[in-house]
Amino acid sequence: MATTVVGSYPHSLKSLSSPLYLLKFNPSFSSGFVSFPSTRNQPRKSLVVRSVAAPVEAASGFDEMVSGTQRKYYMLGGKGGVGKTSCAASLAVKFANNGHPTLVVSTDPAHSLSDSFAQDLTGGTLIPVEGPYSPLFALEINPEKAREEFRSAGQKSGGTGIKDFMDGMGLGVLADQLGELKLGELLDTPPPGLDEAIAISKVMQFLESQEYNMFTRIVFDTAPTGHTLRLLSLPDFLDASIGKILKLRQKIASATSAIKSVFGQEDSHREDAADKLERLRERMIKVRELFRDTSSTEFVIVTIPTVMAISESSRLCASLKKESVPVKRLIVNQVIPPSASDCKFCAMKRKDQMRSLNMIQSDPELSSLMVIQAPLVDVEIRGVPALQFLGDIVWK
């Protein structure tokens, strides 16, 4: 059961998107509000916050999440429309305010990070977020831009455009293989799974590029369940596919080596291609190991208290466990708190939500997870001040 918590804390902000940022809660939910100072350099003020929050036993274990300077990855995912972006953005703000240089990445083709932070984060490049105490950057992976580059690459002279584009993603060797098979025309159309391939290439950059060395926390705002499961399974798929290609090439090479040796022909190009494939395979193994590393990676499931959402969360949890992806937290968002008012709709809705919440306790996949309840509020959570407020409720 949720309980009413009354407390106060000092608060100041580096940047505000409006002269006065006001979060007001419906009296039927709580009896107070939180407001934020209207200028950058005003002295800290003690603000009284009255809101509905999860009980102590449902704390998220944020102390564990924030401890240590080793880089950690947090992936938030679940059914569409449950509040994944707000939870991911609030976690990123919380990390940054606790001293961690943080990067929040959206892998969802339909991005919402810009809306959540009330700041233009489009363009597919690192953009600093205004407001948090420590560096916080956001990145919206732009699959549509990549698709357009993919199409235009096919129109370049000599047929080298697509290869150049895929080289930039670290996947150029796959274009080599298709080119040798005379299937280059298929590359005029972006292949299925390109969104996930681009996201995987970004994860490779996080592991290898100096540009991302400063970040000690990386938070992923993932796409709805189906896209995310494809993303997590892609390293295994590519590893297996590359392995089959290498075995096939080896068989063909051994069958033709005798003939080539008679004519004194060398096959250094094929050896180079095989080496590139092997290196790509090693990178895929690194990404796969990252997704499964319990010391540095965690998947947080976000849901809402409805039968459909919790059922899908149960299936997602089972799939994550099958892929050996660490998962131990479940956020139940939009929980209606108890009310003393005579709102019959609120009472019926809460009763229905309680039935759904009870499902979690008996679900074989979800019952072992740490359950975090996030209350339903009557305003949109937009901008760093609001995200910080949400983070203080959810991430304890």
Side-chain angles (χ1 to χ4, degrees), residues 249-268:
R249 290 180 64 90
Q250 187 176 9
K251 290 179 180 179
I252 294 174
S254 61
T256 59
S257 59
I259 298 175
K260 288 184 175 291
S261 62
V262 170
F263 294 97
Q265 295 179 355
E266 297 182 355
D267 201 12
S268 59

Side-chain angles (χ1 to χ4, degrees), residues 85 106-115 122 139-143 221:
T85 299
S106 172
T107 65
D108 190 343
H111 297 296
S112 299
L113 274 184
S114 292
D115 298 327
T122 58
L139 171 65
E140 288 188 345
I141 296 175
N142 193 337
D221 172 30

